[in-house]
Amino acid sequence: MSSIIAPSILAADFGNLQRDCEMVNNSKADWFHLDIMDGVFVPNISYGMPIINTINKIATKTLDVHLMIVDPDRYIETFKKIGADILTVHFEACTHLHRTIQNIKANGMKAGVALNPHTSAHLLSDVLNDIDLVLVMSVNPGFGGQSFIENTYQKIKDLKKMREESRSDFIIEIDGGVNSTNAPKLIEVGADALVAGSFVFKSENPTKTIEDLKNC
Ligand code: DX5
Ligand code: ZN
């Protein structure tokens, strides 16, 4: 089975958002990756509800929403209403992570948990059977176009082993600095889904770049 490719709209041309979303629709990509930043959890602000709502009207594929915000519980219902299929919260932003995960699922979405580069995979051991996805940050969250952190490979291996031992079935997704050089090794060590922003949208032929990642 080939890996899931999720272009990150953060790197799209917002003046041509419809064009870029249609490119993703017509490409080999599987998901739209949507990054929500609040300027508090991360030192940057991205975009919010009206943009997601707009993307939802155009997109014909799964909306994979990555919340880089504090206290995400406040907006779970809203994200469902505007089209999120997968809602991922940060481990570091949730005091009552188990409750947050249950709340996401009760609202009819798949629940993901993201780990910052310094956060050990083992901290998820008590919720492995509750989650649908683990998002491994391979850069410090907040910005596109950063360099990939090599420690990511070990974290993927840890998660794969934990998944086998716990007989759980969450998706392992990698986010940050993904390109065609690191993608084959990421898949080899156990990544199921790859997010790619700059590498796709800053390339000469984004459709072809997505296809190349898909064939890795
Ligand atoms: C970073 C975001 C990423 C970002 C990836 O905080 O979570 O999804 O868009 O961008 P690239 O692929 O350019 O590193
Ligand atoms: Zn992201």
Side-chain angles (χ1 to χ4, degrees), residues 80-92:
K80 172 64 186 177
K81 276 193 200 126
I82 59 177
D85 298 297
I86 304 168
L87 197 62
T88 295
V89 295
H90 263 265
F91 176 86
E92 304 83 7

Side-chain angles (χ1 to χ4, degrees), residues 21-55:
C21 289
E22 280 166 359
M23 182 281 293
V24 175
N25 281 344
N26 296 323
S27 75
K28 294 254 162 75
D30 301 272
W31 298 348
F32 284 74
H33 184 82
L34 307 179
D35 290 302
I36 310 305
M37 305 177 183
D38 67 354
V40 178
F41 180 68
V42 288
N44 194 14
I45 297 175
S46 56
Y47 51 83
M49 316 311 186
I51 296 283
I52 298 181
N53 215 359
T54 303
I55 293 171

